[in-house]
Amino acid sequence: MRPSPISATVDFDADGVQHGFLKLPVSHDESAWGAVMIPITVIRNGEGPTALLTGGNHGDEYEGITALLKLANRLTAEEVRGRVIIVPMMNQPAAQAGRRTSPMDRGNLNRSFPGDPDGGPTKQIADYFTRYLVPMCDYALDLHSGGRTLDILPFAAAHRLDDLELERKSLEGAIAFGASTAIMMYELDAAALYDTVVENQGKVLVTTELGGGGTSTPASIEISERGVRNFLMFAGITEGEIQRPPRQQYVEMPDASCYVQSEHEGILEMTCALGGLVRQGEVVARIYDITRTGVDPVEYRASRDGLVLARRFPARVAMGDTIVVIGEMVDTLER
Ligand SMILES: [Zn+2]
């Protein structure tokens, strides 16, 4: 495989704080010899572990983007032992456009891994992470949220892995993040995720969902910022005491039945609240026909007992949209 076309303006081995770019060459009508400029901050102080902190994997997920922009501006080299690599907007063209996917090639970065140096810009970004940045790190934290189409209960998550020791450390990291909810997450499409690339390289991966609706709130930013700080302490890179809420709840997503998806098009009425408990068979949503009166709505029912982890955010709903995600409350996520 040929080397990545992306080059970094920062020196990953230099001590101190550097703000620079990952430069991805693109040639287009407005700029014959141009580049996509992906902001990156590297903060290093001697030997120690490396944490790779990422946001904007999807361009409309602002909680992580904002928390990482704030961290990049504030974290000093003196506070660090080892190295922190911060990329607040992994898919920069998507973030620039305020969209989940890239306007350049319609690429969804978190469905483009492991990537391809000969692919479009989104696959080229994925490939750079897979072959250059992930191998540099010991710990990776990827900050997601619902974006414009989902609202999600703030949580940090790990995945069930064949490598039990890696699973245990990743779960420890997810709990240390310090959101009120920690989850063992079931992914609908794991093969093309950033998470899978990181885990396959034997690195600790904690992923998060921190709100949604294509915005942020004081509460979601506070959880995100505290979580990032906690994660750096968990990784042994900064000093201090991990701040966890007095009570954390644990949720398992055993299989795809956690996802209730629409088989109708229309107007969505949610009848359950984000973060609320539902019983199997309970009506969680109704969908109304937008074209006429006099038609009863279609009812959607909970597929299982559990906690409402996520809901569709816009009221307009189409076939195949995820309406709610229901997780199972458990006492522990350890095996
Ligand atoms: Zn996302």
Side-chain angles (χ1 to χ4, degrees):
M1 205 180 279
R2 72 165 175 129
S4 174
I6 295 177
S7 59
T9 67
V10 290
D11 177 354
F12 291 100
D13 297 321
D15 279 338
V17 177
Q18 300 171 75
H19 301 289
F21 299 95
L22 304 173
K23 291 171 66 171
L24 165 58
V26 282
S27 180
H28 55 93
D29 289 349
E30 304 306 320
S31 187
W33 294 350
V36 169
M37 305 288 279
I38 304 167
I40 183 169
T41 294
V42 179
I43 301 170
R44 184 181 171 132
N45 185 6
E47 295 306 310
T50 293
L52 176 57
L53 310 179
T54 49
N57 188 332
H58 295 125
D60 64 348
E61 299 175 358
Y62 295 102
E63 297 84 346
I65 292 173
T66 308
L68 291 183
L69 286 170
K70 291 176 80 171
L71 183 77
N73 289 351
R74 287 176 184 171
L75 189 64
T76 63
E78 292 70 41
E79 292 173 88
V80 166
R81 185 185 65 85
R83 181 168 57 179
V84 182
I85 301 172
I86 306 170
V87 184
M89 289 155 284
M90 290 172 91
N91 197 352
Q92 191 276 343
Q96 184 89 38
R99 303 185 67 86
R100 180 172 179 82
T101 60
S102 175
M104 296 180 74
D105 56 6
R106 304 191 63 95
N108 179 339
L109 181 56
N110 216 25
R111 302 294 183 275
S112 301
F113 282 87
D116 180 354
D118 297 312
T122 307
K123 288 216 159 178
Q124 290 175 320
I125 293 169
D127 169 67
Y128 186 81
F129 274 85
T130 299
R131 289 195 294 149
Y132 296 83
L133 292 181
V134 173
M136 286 184 211
C137 84
D138 305 290
Y139 299 88
L141 174 65
D142 194 28
L143 301 175
H144 287 260
S145 51
R148 293 188 304 170
T149 66
L150 291 169
D151 196 9
I152 307 183
L153 192 68
F155 66 76
H159 300 109
R160 291 283 176 223
L161 301 172
D162 293 334
D163 181 341
L164 296 182
E165 177 57 18
L166 187 62
E167 178 188 302
R168 192 192 60 73
K169 278 169 70 178
S170 304
L171 175 59
E172 197 184 319
I175 291 170
F177 185 86
S180 298
T181 308
I183 292 190
M184 197 52 85
M185 198 163 180
Y186 178 87
E187 303 283 1
L188 284 178
D189 196 6
L193 295 183
Y194 174 63
D195 314 51
T196 306
V197 157
V198 177
E199 289 160 350
N200 286 347
Q201 292 187 28
K203 315 301 176 81
V204 170
L205 180 278
V206 172
T207 187
T208 63
E209 299 287 353
L210 297 165
T215 188
S216 65
T217 64
S220 66
I221 293 294
E222 187 187 331
I223 292 164
S224 308
E225 287 196 83
R226 187 182 62 216
V228 169
R229 294 271 179 189
N230 280 343
F231 188 78
L232 291 177
M233 289 184 252
F234 159 74
I237 294 173
T238 57
E239 287 187 351
E241 202 168 317
I242 291 175
Q243 306 284 319
R244 281 169 56 186
R247 199 182 139 272
Q248 274 177 305
Q249 57 189 3
Y250 303 122
V251 176
E252 187 92 56
M253 292 174 66
D255 55 51
S257 75
C258 296
Y259 293 81
V260 178
Q261 291 179 313
S262 175
E263 297 178 7
H264 299 84
E265 192 267 338
I267 294 173
L268 181 65
E269 177 198 10
M270 295 297 302
T271 58
C272 64
L274 191 63
L277 289 169
V278 293
R279 306 288 295 177
Q280 185 173 8
E282 181 181 328
V283 175
V284 291
R286 300 187 185 99
I287 296 179
Y288 293 84
D289 190 328
I290 196 166
T291 63
R292 67 199 63 245
T293 56
V295 179
D296 287 334
V298 185
E299 291 180 334
Y300 280 81
R301 293 173 185 276
S303 47
R304 57 196 313 128
D305 290 358
L307 184 74
V308 178
L309 292 174
R311 58 154 289 182
R312 179 167 173 81
F313 191 68
R316 283 291 276 121
V317 61
M319 302 270 293
D321 290 339
T322 289
I323 301 171
V324 293
V325 181
I326 301 166
E328 184 183 321
M329 303 274 282
V330 292
D331 292 332
T332 178
L333 292 171
E334 286 167 28
R335 295 232 197 196

